[in-house]
Amino acid sequence: MRLTNNEKGYSLLLTMFVFILFTVLAMALLTATLTGSKRNQTSEHNIQAQELAMMGIDHLTNQINKDLKAKIPENGIDKVAFKKELEKVLITYQSNPVQKSLSTGAYKTKIYSGELYEENNNQKAKVVIESKGTVNGKVKTIKATVVFGAQTTLDDLKYTVSSYISGSCKKYEKIPTGNTSPCIDGEGNLFLHGGVEITGDIKVDRHLVTANHGYARYNYWGSAVDKWIPSVYPRIKATEGNKNPQIVLGGNIYTFSPEGSYNTHINMTNFENVNNEKRPCRLIQWFLGLCKKPGSTKANYTNVTDHLENAFLIKGNDRAPVIVQKQQTVEDIKIEEMKSSFKFNQSSQGVPSPSEYNGLLGLGILFSFDYYKEKDLSNSNVYANGKTTRALSREKNELYFFGNNKFGRFSTDGDLIIRNESGETTTTNFKNGAYIGENLEIGKLGWLESNLNPNTFEEVQLDGPIYVNGDVHIEGIRGEFNSIMYVNGSVTIEDSVINGLNNGSLIIFAKGDINIHNISINKDTPSKIKGFFYSEKDIEIYGVGSNIKIEGGISARRVVLNAIRGSANIGYLKDYFEPSTSQPSKNSRLQIIYDPEIMNTYSNLKAREPMVMSVDEPTIIERKVD
C-alpha cells in the first residue's frame, strides 16, 4: 500500500516536472519567435527605407537631367550661358528637395554639395545627392556622386576604320518600302587594295575585300592615268598592348583578283552570288602583273573568312586579325542639325554694323572682289557677304581671305575662298566658329593638274570649327590645320601637302563623299594628319603616288583605300612604282593609326563651337549608405 502511494507520488511529481519543462521551452520558443519576427520586420523596414532612398536618387538625377535638356533651345546655347543654367539648376535642388510619399513610406532628396569643373574644355558638374528613405520610423540615408555635363564623344571614334550600314538602308533591306532605295552602292563594305597599313581595330557592317594591287588615279600634264599597280595585301597591326587586331564583321572576307572595271568592283554590295568562275590568265594580263602566268586561272572573289592569313600581309611578329562579335551600332552624327549653332546674320544679337569691320574692295586685272586682309576681329561676331564679278561669268556672292585674319565668330551666306597672294603664310583663325553658306575653297583650284611640285603650292593655315553648307575643295596648298568641319556637301582634298597646325587636328564630318588623293605625291615623307574623317556616303583615299599617315581614323557607309608600299615617282614620260617583290620590307604609302586621344581631340575642338546642343546622360560614379 505504501509502495503504491509512493509510486503515485512519483508519477505526479514527474508529470509536473514535464509540464513545467515544456512550458518553459514553449515560452522560450515563443519569445524567440516574437523577437525574430520583430527583427525581420525591422530589417524589412531598413531594406524598404534604403530602396526608397535609391528611388529618390533616381528621381532627382532624372529631374536634373530633364531640366538641363529643357534649358537648351533648338538652336543651342553658348558655353557661358550653359554654365549659368547648370548652376541655377543645382542651386534649385539644393534648397528645394524633391520628396514623395508612397504606401510603404517616403523619401526626401536634395543636392548635398556640388562642384563645377571643366574636362577637355567641356563644362561638367560633380554633384553629391543626399537621399533619405523613411519606413515606420526607420530612416536610411544614401549619398551618391553624379556627373552632369555637355555631350562630347562618339562611338565611331573608337575604331581605326569602319564601314557601316545606315539606319535607313537597314530598314529598307528588312522591309522594302517600294520607294527608291536609300542605300548606296557597296554600302557597309570596306575595300583594302594593296599595301594599306592599319593599326587598330576595324568594324565592317557587311563585307571586307582585300587585294594585292593598289589602284592609281592621277593626272599629269593633262594625261589621265587609271590602272592597277602590283603590290602586296594590306597589313593590319594590333595597337600597343594587344596581341591581335580585331575585326567586327557583319559578313565575309574576300580576296579579289583585279580584273574588269574598278568602278563596277567597288559598287558591288554583295559577293555571295557573283559569277565567280575561274578565268584564264591572258598574256597581256600576265605582262601587266595582273595574274601569275599565261594559262593559269584565278577566281575574281575568293571567300577566305576562315583563312584570314590569306587576306593580309603578315610581317615579323604580326598576328593575323581575329573576328569578334560585338554589338554593331550606328550613332548618327547630326551634321545638318549643327547648322543652327553656327549660322547667324546681321540681325542676330551681338553682331555689330558692317561699317565697323568691313573689308576693302580690291580691283584685279580680270575681276573685282570683296576681301578681308590682315584683320584682327578676334573679339567680334562678324557677318559679311562679298560680291565678285569673275571675268566672263555671272556675279557671285563670294568673299576672299588674304594674309592673316582673326575672328570671334564669322558668318557669310556665300562662298569663302582662302588664298595666298603674297608668298607668305596665310592664316585664318575662327575663335568660336564660322558658318559658310555655300562652298569653302582653299588654295588655287583647277590648274594644278599639270603641276604637282609642292614648291609651287600656297602656304595656308586654318584654325577653328567650321560649318560649310556646300562643298569643301582644298587644292594646291602646303596646309596646316586645327579644325573640325561639318560639311553639308562633299569634300575633295588633292594636290597638296597637309599637316597639323601646332600638332593640331583635322576632323571632318560630311554628308557627301570624301575623296583624298595626290597628297605628298612622289615624296618619301608622308603628310601627317591627326584627325578623323566621317562621311554619310563614300570615303576614297589613294596612297599609291600619294604618301599619307592619318593618326585617328575614318568611317563611312563605303570605304575604299588604295596603296602600295615603298617608293613611287609619277612623271610625264615615265612612272616608277616599287616592285611588288620588295614591297613587304618597305613602309606603306597609306597608314592609318588609331589614336587613343582622338576623343579628347574631338572634345577639345568641339568645345570651341559656339553652341552647346545636347547634354550627357548623368553618370553615377559612387554610392554610400549611412
Side-chain angles (χ1 to χ4, degrees), residues 259-286:
E259 296 182 16
S261 167
Y262 172 82
N263 288 331
T264 300
H265 161 61
I266 64 174
N267 286 335
M268 291 179 61
T269 300
N270 292 301
F271 308 92
E272 291 87 346
N273 300 318
V274 175
N275 181 7
N276 208 23
E277 296 178 359
K278 292 185 176 182
R279 302 180 181 183
C281 178
R282 297 182 175 88
L283 181 62
I284 185 63
Q285 292 173 325
W286 169 79

Side-chain angles (χ1 to χ4, degrees), residues 118-123 152 597 599-601 603-605 607:
E118 286 197 2
E119 183 180 79
N120 299 321
N121 291 324
N122 293 286
Q123 190 60 56
T152 56
E597 294 299 316
M599 286 189 177
N600 290 335
T601 301
S603 299
N604 289 337
L605 287 170

Side-chain angles (χ1 to χ4, degrees), residues 346 352-359 372 375 383:
Q346 190 59 58
S353 167
S355 61
E356 297 182 32
Y357 53 73
N358 214 2
Y372 280 107
K375 294 288 186 179
Y383 172 76

Side-chain angles (χ1 to χ4, degrees), residues 263-546:
N263 288 331
T264 300
H265 161 61
I266 64 174
N267 286 335
M268 291 179 61
T269 300
N270 292 301
F271 308 92
E272 291 87 346
N273 300 318
V274 175
N275 181 7
N276 208 23
E277 296 178 359
K278 292 185 176 182
R279 302 180 181 183
C281 178
R282 297 182 175 88
L283 181 62
I284 185 63
Q285 292 173 325
W286 169 79
F287 180 76
L288 294 175
L290 299 179
C291 51
K292 292 185 178 180
K293 60 182 179 179
S296 65
T297 60
K298 184 175 180 63
N300 273 15
Y301 298 96
T302 303
N303 190 329
V304 295
T305 308
D306 297 328
H307 301 281
L308 298 189
E309 66 278 3
N310 295 331
F312 302 99
L313 172 67
I314 310 296
K315 289 182 61 178
N317 296 323
D318 287 357
R319 297 192 181 190
V322 294
I323 298 174
V324 297
Q325 297 298 322
K326 293 182 179 178
Q327 183 180 5
Q328 296 187 27
T329 60
V330 177
E331 182 175 349
D332 292 335
I333 297 175
K334 299 177 181 179
I335 297 172
E336 200 165 6
E337 286 82 345
M338 294 298 300
K339 179 192 297 186
S340 58
S341 68
F342 283 83
K343 184 178 180 180
F344 63 92
N345 55 35
Q346 190 59 58
S347 61
S348 300
Q349 184 177 3
V351 179
S353 167
S355 61
E356 297 182 32
Y357 53 73
N358 214 2
L360 302 174
L361 180 65
L363 297 176
I365 297 176
L366 297 178
F367 55 84
S368 63
F369 51 83
D370 284 346
Y371 66 88
Y372 280 107
K373 182 176 181 180
E374 303 297 338
K375 294 288 186 179
D376 188 351
L377 302 164
S378 52
N379 296 316
S380 299
N381 297 332
V382 178
Y383 172 76
N385 283 316
K387 291 293 182 182
T388 298
T389 304
R390 290 189 174 183
L392 305 178
S393 69
R394 64 181 179 84
E395 185 175 297
K396 293 191 65 178
N397 184 356
E398 59 187 15
L399 188 67
Y400 281 75
F401 282 180
F402 299 112
N404 301 311
N405 296 290
K406 298 178 181 180
F407 304 90
R409 292 175 63 195
F410 178 84
S411 181
T412 182
D413 293 331
D415 295 339
L416 175 64
I417 298 97
I418 300 177
R419 291 292 308 273
N420 184 328
E421 61 167 356
S422 64
E424 297 181 358
T425 302
T426 289
T427 299
T428 302
N429 183 286
F430 300 116
K431 184 178 178 181
N432 292 312
Y435 171 81
I436 314 302
E438 295 187 21
N439 302 317
L440 173 63
E441 300 177 4
I442 303 176
K444 42 188 179 181
L445 276 55
W447 67 279
L448 277 174
E449 292 180 350
S450 62
N451 189 353
L452 299 178
N453 182 2
N455 293 328
T456 67
F457 296 170
E458 298 182 350
E459 292 190 9
V460 176
Q461 295 178 342
L462 180 63
D463 187 17
I466 304 173
Y467 184 95
V468 181
N469 201 37
D471 299 330
V472 172
H473 194 164
I474 300 171
E475 182 178 355
I477 67 168
R478 294 194 301 277
E480 296 179 305
F481 290 83
N482 184 42
S483 177
I484 179 171
M485 296 185 184
Y486 299 94
V487 183
N488 202 27
S490 62
V491 177
T492 301
I493 305 175
E494 59 182 340
D495 304 328
S496 298
V497 176
I498 305 293
N499 291 288
L501 174 61
N502 298 323
N503 295 317
S505 300
L506 176 61
I507 296 177
I508 297 178
F509 299 111
K511 289 185 70 67
D513 297 335
I514 297 178
N515 189 290
I516 303 175
H517 63 273
N518 287 359
I519 306 299
S520 292
I521 195 164
N522 296 341
K523 299 299 181 181
D524 292 332
T525 301
S527 284
K528 295 180 181 180
I529 306 172
K530 288 180 67 68
F532 193 88
F533 299 92
Y534 169 95
S535 168
E536 288 187 7
K537 289 188 177 179
D538 171 88
I539 288 181
E540 203 164 353
I541 304 178
Y542 291 86
V544 178
S546 299

Side-chain angles (χ1 to χ4, degrees), residues 165-178 181-183 187:
I165 303 174
S166 64
S168 58
C169 182
K170 283 184 177 180
K171 183 178 179 180
Y172 179 85
E173 290 181 335
K174 186 176 181 180
I175 308 175
T177 62
S181 172
C183 306
E187 179 146 350

Side-chain angles (χ1 to χ4, degrees), residues 105-292:
Y107 61 76
K108 184 177 181 180
T109 310
K110 67 174 184 178
I111 291 179
Y112 182 80
S113 64
E115 174 192 1
L116 294 176
Y117 67 99
E118 286 197 2
E119 183 180 79
N120 299 321
N121 291 324
N122 293 286
Q123 190 60 56
K124 300 283 187 179
K126 185 182 290 184
V127 179
V128 178
I129 296 177
E130 180 185 77
S131 182
K132 294 183 178 182
T134 305
V135 176
N136 285 350
K138 298 297 180 182
V139 179
K140 276 291 181 181
T141 302
I142 295 180
K143 288 182 180 178
T145 303
V146 186
V147 174
F148 299 92
Q151 188 172 354
T152 56
T153 58
L154 297 169
D155 183 66
D156 298 83
L157 276 62
K158 297 177 181 177
Y159 297 94
T160 310
V161 177
S162 67
S163 58
Y164 66 90
I165 303 174
S166 64
S168 58
C169 182
K170 283 184 177 180
K171 183 178 179 180
Y172 179 85
E173 290 181 335
K174 186 176 181 180
I175 308 175
T177 62
N179 299 323
T180 303
S181 172
C183 306
I184 67 170
D185 293 333
E187 179 146 350
N189 289 339
L190 170 61
F191 297 88
L192 302 179
H193 300 142
V196 180
E197 183 160 307
I198 298 171
T199 302
D201 295 338
I202 295 173
K203 182 173 80 71
V204 184
D205 274 5
R206 206 185 297 274
H207 304 298
L208 170 58
V209 181
T210 71
N212 60 358
H213 285 65
Y215 198 72
R217 271 184 174 170
Y218 57 92
N219 277 284
Y220 198 82
W221 292 98
S223 177
V225 178
D226 295 72
K227 61 182 178 180
W228 288 101
I229 307 299
S231 183
V232 293
Y233 282 107
R235 182 187 184 195
I236 314 295
K237 297 169 57 181
T239 54
E240 187 175 352
N242 295 319
K243 293 181 179 180
N244 296 80
Q246 297 182 344
I247 301 176
V248 181
L249 186 65
N252 294 311
I253 296 180
Y254 297 89
T255 55
F256 168 66
S257 176
E259 296 182 16
S261 167
Y262 172 82
N263 288 331
T264 300
H265 161 61
I266 64 174
N267 286 335
M268 291 179 61
T269 300
N270 292 301
F271 308 92
E272 291 87 346
N273 300 318
V274 175
N275 181 7
N276 208 23
E277 296 178 359
K278 292 185 176 182
R279 302 180 181 183
C281 178
R282 297 182 175 88
L283 181 62
I284 185 63
Q285 292 173 325
W286 169 79
F287 180 76
L288 294 175
L290 299 179
C291 51
K292 292 185 178 180

